[in-house]
Structure formats: structure tokens, C-alpha cells
């Protein structure tokens, strides 16, 4: 009876915490269906009297959210793939090859974790301006990749160190080259941790605001996080449209996290054990 009571209390607490975590999303959904009069004239917790479902097609077409959504998708996908490929190359070279500067190079990447993002905006802006990449998607993708590389390498490092070297030695005995060992043996073994790093990078890239707002000025290349500003005017702000835009921007990441959350735990746990 004591153990059942304890589990009951535990589940009750977890249920309350789950409601607390989920309620902001539900509130944002209700907010996106309200008019400006309902937003300011009613309680924040009140239900919309006449749900404004038209907010969603309005922001998708008139607010160019469809274009911003596509930009967010391909920025995120390209940056994630580039980060994973480069981080895998670096981690393989540091952990599986013997060369004098391996620890020094690893230290350089770890230092990247300590560099504040905002302190790099002016140097990066001057650099991209010099090479004519301002208002170019490549400036955003390169920035995402550079800032995600250190944390991605850190996650991959423990997993690579846990891979038995006997596997690679068997590949060498079979006549495999270094490239074939990496692509045919090591890379497939790292699938769980690669999924983890992909999700973490995807969440960061999708929600990023500063780089896009700094390097991109044309509506053609803006993302969802910056496109919300389209509904903020000098004299009038369409709060329902802003809520609908935020809801649209949250859904892809929320769905991806719900489908792949087990991969995050699996990859982090696998990469934390060296043996």
C-alpha cells in the first residue's frame, strides 16, 4: 500500500508538471484565435468568443509566412547536415588518428563554447560585408555551422572514444582505407548520437533570431523568427496574427521533438559512457 501511495503521489506531481509545461502552448493557440479587442479587453485566460480561424490563412499568404517557413526549413536542414558532417570528420580525426596537434585542435574547438554570440556580430558583419555575403543565405548558414560545431563535437567525443578500436583493426585487416573505415564502419555506429546532435542543432537553428536579423534585410531570405515583425506596425499590431505565426513556427519543432525525444536520451546516454 505504501509503494502504491508513493507512486500515486509521484504520478500526481508529474501530471501537474506536465499540465504546467503544456498549458503555455494551449494558451498560445487560444491567443492566436483572438482579436485585438479580446486580447486587451478580456482576461488572458478567457476563451475567444468568436475564434478567428482566418488568422492562419491570412498570415500564411498575406504575411508571406509560407516563404519564411520554407527559408527556415532549408536553412535548418543545410546547416544541420553541414555541422554533422564537419563535426564527424573532426571528431574522427581527433579520437581515432595519432597526430601531434590533436589535443590542441580539440582545445580550439572547446574554446568556441566560451565565446558569446553577441560579441561576434560586428566582426562577422564586417567579414561578410567584405566578401559580399550580406543579405545572402550563406552568411546565416555558415554562422549556424560555426557556432554549433563546438557543442556537436563535445557530444560526439564521448561516443567516439567508446567505440572499440578492434572494429577498425578488423576493417584494416580486410583492406579498408581510412575513408572506407569512416564511412562504412564508424559513421553507421554513431547513428544514435548523430540523431541527438541533429535534433539539438535543429532546435537552435529553427529558433535563431540574431544572425538572421543582422545579416538579412531582404524579405526574400528572412525566416519565421524575423517574419513575426511584419505584423508589428507603428500604430497597430495584429496580435492574433502574431500568435498564429508563433504557433506555426512551434509546430515543426514540437512534432520533431515528440517523435525523436527518445533518440536524444539514447544518444546522450551512449555518449556519456566510456568503456
Amino acid at each position: 500500500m505504501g509503494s502504491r501511495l508513493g507512486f500515486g503521489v509521484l504520478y500526481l506531481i508529474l501530471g501537474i508538471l506536465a499540465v504546467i509545461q503544456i498549458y503555455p502552448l494551449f494558451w498560445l493557440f487560444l491567443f492566436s484565435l483572438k482579436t485585438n479587442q479580446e486580447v486587451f479587453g478580456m482576461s488572458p485566460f478567457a476563451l475567444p468568443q468568436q475564434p478567428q480561424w482566418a488568422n492562419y490563412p491570412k498570415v500564411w499568404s498575406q504575411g508571406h509566412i509560407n516563404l519564411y517557413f520554407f527559408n527556415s526549413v532549408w536553412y535548418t536542414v543545410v546547416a544541420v547536415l553541414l555541422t554533422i558532417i564537419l563535426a564527424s570528420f573532426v571528431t574522427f580525426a581527433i579520437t581515432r588518428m595519432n597526430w601531434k596537434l590533436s589535443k590542441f585542435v580539440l582545445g580550439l574547438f572547446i574554446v568556441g563554447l566560451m565565446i558569446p554570440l553577441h560579441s561576434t556580430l560586428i566582426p562577422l558583419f564586417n567579414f561578410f560585408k567584405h566578401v559580399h555575403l550580406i543579405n545572402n543565405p550563406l552568411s546565416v548558414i555558415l554562422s549556424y555551422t560555426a557556432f554549433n560545431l563546438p557543442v556537436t563535437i563535445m557530444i560526439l567525443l564521448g561516443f567516439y572514444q567508446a567505440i572499440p578500436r578492434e572494429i577498425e583493426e578488423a576493417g584494416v585487416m580486410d583492406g579498408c582505407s581510412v575513408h572506407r573505415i569512416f564511412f562504412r564502419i564508424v559513421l553507421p555506429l554513431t547513428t544514435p548520437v548523430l540523431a541527438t546532435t541533429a535534433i539539438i542543432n535543429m532546435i537552435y537553428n529553427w529558433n535563431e533570431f540574431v544572425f538572421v536579423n543582422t545579416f538579412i534585410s531582404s524579405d526574400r531570405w528572412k525566416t519565421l523568427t524575423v517574419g513575426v515583425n511584419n505584423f508589428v506596425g507603428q500604430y497597430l499590431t495584429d496580435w492574433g496574427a502574431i500568435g498564429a505565426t508563433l504557433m506555426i513556427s512551434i509546430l515543426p519543432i514540437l512534432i520533431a521533438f515528440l517523435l525523436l525525444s527518445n533518440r536524444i536520451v539514447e544518444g546522450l546516454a551512449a555518449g556519456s559512457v566510456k568503456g
Side-chain angles (χ1 to χ4, degrees):
M1 289 295 294
S3 61
R4 290 183 179 180
L5 180 61
F7 278 113
V9 173
L10 177 62
Y11 289 142
L12 177 62
I13 295 174
L14 292 177
I16 294 173
L17 292 176
V19 171
I20 293 174
Q21 295 292 325
I22 295 174
Y23 182 75
L25 296 176
F26 180 69
W27 178 87
L28 179 61
F29 174 68
L30 296 179
F31 182 86
S32 68
L33 300 178
K34 293 181 179 180
T35 62
N36 283 359
Q37 291 74 18
E38 291 176 330
V39 169
F40 294 103
M42 299 172 58
S43 168
F45 305 101
L47 297 176
Q49 295 179 343
Q50 294 181 345
Q52 302 296 309
W53 297 103
N55 283 338
Y56 285 91
K58 179 174 69 174
V59 301
W60 186 259
S61 56
Q62 299 178 17
H64 306 295
I65 297 302
N66 53 350
L67 176 61
Y68 301 150
F69 185 89
F70 174 75
N71 288 339
S72 293
V73 169
W74 81 266
Y75 284 8
T76 299
V77 170
V78 173
V80 167
L81 291 176
L82 189 59
T83 302
I84 288 176
I85 292 172
L86 292 178
S88 298
F89 288 163
V90 172
T91 310
F92 181 82
I94 290 174
T95 59
R96 319 308 284 184
M97 296 181 177
N98 296 321
W99 48 295
K100 293 182 179 180
L101 298 178
S102 60
K103 292 184 179 180
F104 174 75
V105 171
L106 176 60
L108 288 180
F109 281 103
I110 301 307
V111 168
L113 292 171
M114 298 182 286
I115 299 177
L117 181 149
H118 297 86
S119 67
T120 65
L121 288 179
I122 295 177
L124 282 176
F125 185 87
N126 290 332
F127 172 75
F128 289 137
K129 184 178 180 181
H130 182 71
V131 297
H132 307 291
L133 287 180
I134 292 297
N135 204 31
N136 189 310
L138 191 58
S139 62
V140 177
I141 294 173
L142 291 177
S143 300
Y144 288 174
T145 303
F147 274 88
N148 284 331
L149 268 177
V151 67
T152 305
I153 292 172
M154 280 293 296
I155 296 173
L156 293 177
L157 197 64
F159 194 95
Y160 270 76
Q161 290 174 340
I163 298 176
R165 289 190 176 271
E166 289 77 9
I167 298 177
E168 299 168 47
E169 292 172 358
V172 173
M173 294 295 293
D174 290 337
C176 291
S177 63
V178 174
H179 301 86
R180 195 164 185 176
I181 289 174
F182 175 76
F183 286 107
R184 294 292 184 89
I185 298 176
V186 176
L187 199 61
L189 290 175
T190 61
T191 302
V193 73
L194 289 180
T196 301
T197 57
I199 296 170
I200 294 174
N201 289 335
M202 180 178 64
I203 293 173
Y204 170 82
N205 295 344
W206 187 268
N207 295 321
E208 202 281 324
F209 174 83
V210 176
F211 286 137
V212 178
N213 194 48
T214 304
F215 303 143
I216 302 296
S217 58
S218 171
D219 281 344
R220 180 184 177 186
W221 304 116
K222 287 182 180 179
T223 60
L224 277 172
T225 53
V226 179
V228 175
N229 292 326
N230 286 357
F231 304 101
V232 179
Q234 183 177 1
Y235 303 105
L236 180 64
T237 299
D238 193 340
W239 292 103
I242 290 177
T245 304
L246 293 175
M247 200 68 202
I248 292 173
S249 67
I250 288 172
L251 284 178
I253 293 297
L254 181 63
I255 293 172
F257 182 80
L258 291 176
L259 293 176
L260 303 174
S261 58
N262 290 336
R263 286 285 187 176
I264 296 179
V265 178
E266 179 184 350
L268 289 176
S272 64
V273 179
K274 180 181 178 181

